C-alpha cells in the first residue's frame, strides 16, 4: 500500500525557461500588425506619397520593427508563464490593435476634414469601418473561448489569422482605390469692369472680436471704434487643426488646404519611405511627431507648396499693381508681375523670400532692433516691458517701417497686403489674463497686469491702422483680417493651476477670426453673420467689381455693402482665375 510520502513529487523548475518561437510570435504579432496599419495611415494622410510596393513595404518594415519591439516588451510578463496563457492573450491583443486603428482612422478623417481631399477622406472612413468589423469578429471569438474555457482549435486560429490579413488587404485596397479626381480644365477667363479702388488688407494674428468689441466700446481704440461704427464687421469661422500657414493661405486664396496645397507649417522628411519624400500631415492624437520620424529634422514649408493663386497674384494678372509684406510664402510664381513681395520667411532669415531680389538689402535696413524702438512706444507697456512684448513690437515695427517706405515709392500699389504677427506672442502669453479681468471680473494684480499688456498691444495696432488710413487717398477699402483668434484655457488647465487664474491664451481654430471693413460703399455699423475665412477673397473681389471664381470654396459677403452698391453691381462669376491670361 502506498502512502502520500511514497508519491514522487514533480521536479521543481529552477529559473524560467526561455520562451519558444510560438511565444515570441504571440508577443510580436500585435506590434507587427500595428506597424503595418500605421504605415498605411501615413499614405492616407499624405496622398501625394508614391503608393507603390517598395515605399509601402519600407514603411511597413520600419514601423513593424519599431512597434513589434514595443509589443515584445509589453508582453514580457506573459512570456515566462505557461504557453497557453500567453497564447490566449494574442486574440485580445489583435482585437485591441484593430479597434485602436479603427478609431484612429476615423479620428484622422474628422480632424483633417479640411486638409484631405474628399475622396481620400471617404476611403479612410471606409477603412475605419472595415477595421471596426474585423475587431468585432476577433473580440467575439476571443470572448466565446474565454467564457467557455475552450482551447483555440485550428479553425479558430486560422480564422483570426485570416481576419488580420484581410484587415491589411482592406487598408491597401481602400488606399489603392483612391485616384485624385481630375480637375476639369476651366475655360480661359476674361475679366473686365473692375473698380478704380485702392485696397489695403492688414492681417493681424489672433485678433478677435472678444477683445476688440469691449475695448472699442470703452473708447480705448479710437480708429477701430470708427471702423466698427462706419464699416461692417464679422466673426470669421475658422477650422482645426490650427496651423498658421494653411489658414493664412485659405484666407488669401479662398480655398481649403487640400485645394491650395499648403497643409502644414513644416515638412517632415521621411527618407525611410523613399528618397526625397516629406510628410505634410502626421497622425494626430498619439504624439507621432515625437517618436515616429526617426530623428528627422523638420523643414519649413516653401512657396512651391501653394499651387493656387492668392488674391495678390490674381490682381497682378489683372494689371492691378500689388504688393505684399509678411504673408507666408508670398513671393510670386513665374509670370506674376507683383510690384514687390517680402514673405514672412524673410523676417526669419530664410533665403529667396523677396521679390525683386534687389529689395532684400533695403528691407534688411528697415529692421528694428529692441534698442531702436521709440521710448514713447515702450512707455505704454510698463517699465520695463516684458521681453515677449519687446520682441513682438520689433517684428511689427520692422514690417510697418518697410510698408510705409514701399507705399511712398512710385508706382504706388493699388492693392497692398500686410501681415503683422506680433499680437500672436502677446495673446499666447496673456490673453487668458485679459479675458479673466475684462470678461469675468477677476481683479488680482497679476491678472490686471496681463490685461493691460493685451490692451496696450491692441492700442499700438490701432495707432498704426489710423496712420495707414491717413496715408491712403482716393476711393479706398481697408480690410483688417485674422484667420483665427485666441480663447481662454479650458477647465483642465484651470484645475492644473491650483486655483490661480491661468494667464496664457489658447490659439486655435475654435476661436473665431475677424473681418473689419471700412471704405467706399461699405455699409455702416453692419454685423455680417455666418462668415468664414474662405469668404474673404470672394468678398474682396466683389468689392473691386470683379467676378468670384467658381472654384473658390468661399462666397462673397454681400451684406457688408450698401444697397445702392448691390443694385448697381450684380454678383457675377468666372470659372477660375487659375487660367487667367498673364
Amino acid at each position: 500500500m502506498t502512502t502520500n510520502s511514497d508519491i514522487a513529487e514533480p521536479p521543481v523548475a529552477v529559473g524560467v525557461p526561455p520562451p519558444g518561437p510560438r511565444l515570441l510570435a504571440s508577443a510580436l504579432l500585435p506590434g507587427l500588425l500595428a506597424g503595418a496599419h500605421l504605415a498605411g495611415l501615413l499614405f492616407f494622410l499624405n496622398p501625394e506619397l508614391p503608393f507603390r510596393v517598395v515605399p509601402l513595404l519600407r514603411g511597413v518594415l520600419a514601423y513593424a520593427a519599431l512597434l513589434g519591439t514595443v509589443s515584445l516588451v509589453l508582453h514580457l510578463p506573459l512570456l515566462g508563464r505557461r504557453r497557453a496563457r500567453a497564447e490566449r492573450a494574442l486574440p485580445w491583443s489583435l482585437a485591441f490593435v484593430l479597434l485602436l486603428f479603427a478609431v484612429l482612422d476615423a479620428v484622422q478623417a474628422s480632424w483633417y476634414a479640411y486638409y484631405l481631399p474628399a475622396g481620400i477622406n471617404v476611403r479612410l472612413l471606409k477603412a475605419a469601418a472595415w477595421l471596426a468589423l474585423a475587431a468585432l469578429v476577433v473580440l467575439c471569438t476571443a470572448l466565446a473561448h474565454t467564457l467557455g474555457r475552450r482551447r483555440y482549435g485550428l479553425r479558430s486560429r486560422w480564422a483570426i489569422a485570416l481576419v488580420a490579413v484581410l484587415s491589411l488587404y482592406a487598408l491597401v485596397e481602400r488606399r489603392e482605390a483612391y485616384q485624385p479626381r481630375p480637375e476639369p480644365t476651366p475655360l480661359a477667363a476674361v475679366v473686365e469692369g473692375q473698380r478704380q479702388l485702392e485696397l489695403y488688407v492688414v492681417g493681424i494674428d489672433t485678433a478677435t472680436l472678444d477683445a476688440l468689441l469691449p475695448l472699442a466700446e470703452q473708447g480705448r481704440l479710437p480708429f477701430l471704434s470708427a471702423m466698427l461704427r462706419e464699416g461692417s464687421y464679422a466673426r470669421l469661422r475658422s477650422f482645426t487643426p490650427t496651423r498658421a500657414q494653411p489658414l493664412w493661405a485659405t484666407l488669401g486664396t479662398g480655398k481649403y488646404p487640400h485645394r491650395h496645397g499648403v497643409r502644414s507649417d513644416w515638412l517632415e522628411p521621411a527618407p525611410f519611405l523613399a528618397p526625397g519624400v516629406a510628410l505634410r500631415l502626421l497622425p494626430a492624437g498619439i504624439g507621432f511627431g515625437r517618436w515616429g520620424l526617426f530623428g528627422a529634422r523638420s523643414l519649413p514649408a516653401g512657396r512651391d507648396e501653394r499651387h493656387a493663386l492668392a488674391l495678390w497674384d490674381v490682381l497682378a494678372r489683372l494689371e492691378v499693381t500689388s504688393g505684399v509684406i509678411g504673408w507666408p510664402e508670398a513671393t510670386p510664381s513665374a509670370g506674376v508681375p507683383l510690384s514687390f513681395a517680402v514673405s514672412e520667411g524673410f523676417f526669419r532669415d530664410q533665403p529667396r523670400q523677396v521679390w525683386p531680389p534687389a529689395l532684400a538689402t533695403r528691407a534688411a535696413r528697415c529692421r528694428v532692433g529692441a534698442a531702436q524702438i521709440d521710448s514713447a512706444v515702450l512707455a505704454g507697456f510698463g517699465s520695463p516691458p516684458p521681453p515677449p512684448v519687446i520682441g513682438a513690437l520689433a517684428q511689427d515695427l520692422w514690417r510697418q517701417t518697410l510698408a510705409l517706405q514701399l507705399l511712398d515709392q512710385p508706382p504706388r500699389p493699388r492693392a497692398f497686403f500686410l501681415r503683422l504677427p506680433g499680437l500672436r506672442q502677446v495673446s499666447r502669453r496673456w490673453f487668458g489674463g485679459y479675458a479673466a479681468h475684462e470678461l469675468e471680473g477677476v481683479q488680482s494684480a497679476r491678472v490686471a497686469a496681463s490685461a493691460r499688456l493685451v490692451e496696450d498691444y491692441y492700442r499700438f495696432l490701432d495707432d498704426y491702422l489710423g496712420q495707414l488710413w491717413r496715408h491712403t487717398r482716393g476711393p479706398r477699402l481697408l480690410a483688417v483680417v485674422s484667420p483665427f483668434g485666441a480663447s481662454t484655457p479650458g477647465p483642465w488647465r484651470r484645475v492644473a493651476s491650483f486655483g490661480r487664474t491661468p494667464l496664457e491664451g489658447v490659439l486655435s481654430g475654435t476661436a473665431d477670426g475677424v473681418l473689419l471693413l471700412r471704405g467706399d460703399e461699405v455699409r455702416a455699423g453692419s454685423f455680417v453673420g455666418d462668415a468664414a475665412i474662405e469668404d474673404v477673397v470672394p468678398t474682396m473681389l466683389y468689392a473691386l467689381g470683379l467676378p468670384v471664381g467658381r472654384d473658390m470654396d468661399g462666397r462673397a459677403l454681400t451684406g457688408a455693402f450698401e444697397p445702392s452698391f448691390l443694385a448697381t453691381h450684380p454678383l457675377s462669376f468666372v470659372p477660375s482665375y487659375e487660367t487667367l491670361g498673364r
Side-chain angles (χ1 to χ4, degrees):
M1 183 176 180
T2 59
T3 62
N4 290 341
S5 60
D6 296 325
I7 300 175
E9 292 291 331
V12 178
V14 179
V16 178
R22 292 180 63 176
L23 287 180
L24 288 176
S26 298
L28 284 170
L29 282 175
L32 299 180
L33 182 64
H37 279 287
L38 181 60
L41 180 58
L42 285 181
F43 283 86
F44 269 109
L45 297 181
N46 299 272
E48 69 282 351
L49 291 182
F51 193 71
R52 297 192 296 267
V53 174
V54 173
L56 180 60
L57 283 180
R58 292 178 68 172
V60 169
L61 290 175
Y63 290 108
L66 176 62
L67 297 183
T69 303
V70 174
S71 178
L72 181 62
V73 172
L74 293 177
H75 282 80
L76 281 177
L78 294 175
L79 296 182
R81 301 183 180 184
R82 291 183 302 173
R83 187 182 71 185
R85 185 174 298 177
E87 291 182 352
R88 277 185 176 278
L90 177 60
W92 292 98
S93 300
L94 293 178
F96 172 76
V97 169
L98 292 173
L99 187 59
L100 172 65
F101 276 91
V103 173
L104 196 60
D105 288 358
V107 167
Q108 309 307 310
S110 174
W111 182 247
Y112 290 122
Y114 291 95
Y115 289 73
L116 292 173
I120 201 79
N121 204 299
V122 170
R123 285 163 176 78
L124 185 55
L125 288 173
K126 290 182 177 179
W130 280 112
L131 292 182
L133 179 61
L136 182 62
V137 171
V138 177
L139 275 175
C140 290
T141 304
L143 188 61
H145 284 77
T146 299
L147 295 179
R149 298 181 178 275
R150 291 186 295 156
R151 295 183 60 186
Y152 285 90
L154 187 61
R155 285 187 300 177
S156 297
R157 295 177 184 178
W158 276 106
I160 292 174
L162 180 61
V163 169
V165 172
L166 287 178
S167 74
L168 295 176
Y169 171 77
L171 179 135
V172 173
E173 188 276 333
R174 285 291 83 205
R175 178 59 181 83
E176 177 68 25
Y178 171 72
Q179 297 296 332
R181 180 181 300 176
E183 294 288 342
T185 303
L187 299 175
V190 178
V191 177
E192 298 178 352
Q194 55 189 277
R195 296 174 65 199
Q196 296 301 311
L197 183 73
E198 287 192 357
L199 174 66
Y200 298 86
V201 180
V202 180
I204 299 177
D205 267 317
T206 72
T208 172
L209 288 179
D210 292 337
L212 281 172
L213 289 177
L215 294 175
E217 289 174 359
Q218 296 166 20
R220 305 182 196 178
L221 305 176
F223 181 77
L224 288 171
S225 297
M227 282 199 75
L228 293 169
R229 186 174 59 255
E230 300 176 11
S232 295
Y233 62 100
R235 291 184 180 271
L236 292 183
R237 185 175 62 255
S238 189
F239 51 80
T240 56
T242 304
R243 297 181 172 183
Q245 291 200 31
L247 291 178
W248 280 108
T250 294
L251 193 146
T253 62
K255 299 179 180 180
Y256 293 136
H258 70 86
R259 301 190 65 190
H260 61 59
V262 184
R263 289 177 291 149
S264 181
D265 298 336
W266 300 91
L267 305 181
E268 310 295 346
F272 55 90
L273 295 178
V277 162
L279 304 176
R280 274 77 176 171
L281 298 181
L282 303 179
I286 56 175
F288 184 84
R290 299 187 182 92
W291 55 267
L293 299 173
F294 303 102
R297 291 188 60 184
S298 302
L299 302 173
R303 166 64 182 84
D304 53 355
E305 292 296 302
R306 177 166 61 84
H307 48 251
L309 293 178
L311 180 57
W312 52 83
D313 299 320
V314 170
L315 296 178
R317 289 188 177 189
L318 293 172
E319 299 182 355
V320 176
T321 52
S322 303
V324 55
I325 294 176
W327 221 277
E329 310 310 330
T331 48
S333 57
V336 179
L338 286 179
S339 298
F340 56 84
V342 184
S343 293
E344 176 63 24
F346 169 81
F347 301 99
R348 300 179 182 178
D349 299 322
Q350 296 175 10
R352 300 187 302 277
Q353 298 286 322
V354 179
W355 177 264
L359 179 59
T361 303
R362 181 178 180 181
R365 286 200 300 265
C366 292
R367 185 168 196 158
V368 177
Q372 298 170 299
I373 301 177
D374 192 327
S375 58
V377 174
L378 292 175
F381 293 90
S383 180
V389 170
I390 295 177
L393 288 171
Q395 288 293 316
D396 281 356
L397 287 171
W398 186 0
R399 291 159 176 78
Q400 293 173 13
T401 303
L402 178 61
L404 292 177
Q405 285 193 16
L406 294 178
L407 285 176
D408 283 335
Q409 73 176 21
R412 183 185 179 93
R414 282 180 47 207
F416 176 63
F417 301 82
L418 171 66
R419 173 175 166 263
L420 301 174
L423 182 62
R424 181 189 182 101
Q425 300 180 45
V426 177
S427 297
R428 178 186 286 116
R429 294 291 296 270
W430 296 293
F431 186 82
Y434 168 82
H437 185 267
E438 295 291 334
L439 306 181
E440 300 174 15
V442 178
Q443 298 297 321
S444 69
R446 59 189 289 271
V447 171
S450 300
R452 282 195 300 272
L453 289 172
V454 175
E455 176 189 337
D456 292 340
Y457 209 90
Y458 271 98
R459 191 155 46 226
F460 162 74
L461 294 171
D462 183 83
D463 291 341
Y464 174 72
L465 291 172
Q467 182 183 3
L468 179 64
W469 181 253
R470 292 188 295 272
H471 204 75
T472 62
R473 57 179 182 268
R476 54 195 173 170
L477 174 65
L478 172 63
V480 177
V481 296
S482 176
F484 60 94
S487 58
T488 57
W492 289 112
R493 178 66 184 88
R494 293 171 181 259
V495 171
S497 299
F498 301 102
R500 287 167 59 90
T501 303
L503 301 182
E504 68 273 14
V506 178
L507 313 182
S508 73
T510 58
D512 292 335
V514 66
L515 170 65
L516 306 178
L517 296 175
R518 182 182 182 183
D520 295 76
E521 306 294 348
V522 175
R523 181 180 296 181
S526 171
F527 174 73
V528 182
D530 191 24
I533 61 174
E534 62 270 18
D535 298 333
V536 172
V537 169
T539 302
M540 297 297 100
L541 289 171
Y542 178 70
L544 293 170
L546 296 171
V548 176
R550 290 193 180 276
D551 59 343
M552 294 178 178
D553 294 305
R555 61 185 181 88
L557 301 175
T558 54
F561 300 95
E562 293 286 357
S564 58
F565 180 79
L566 299 177
T568 55
H569 293 78
L571 188 62
S572 59
F573 297 90
V574 69
S576 175
Y577 281 100
E578 304 294 332
T579 56
L580 193 66
R582 291 174 173 80

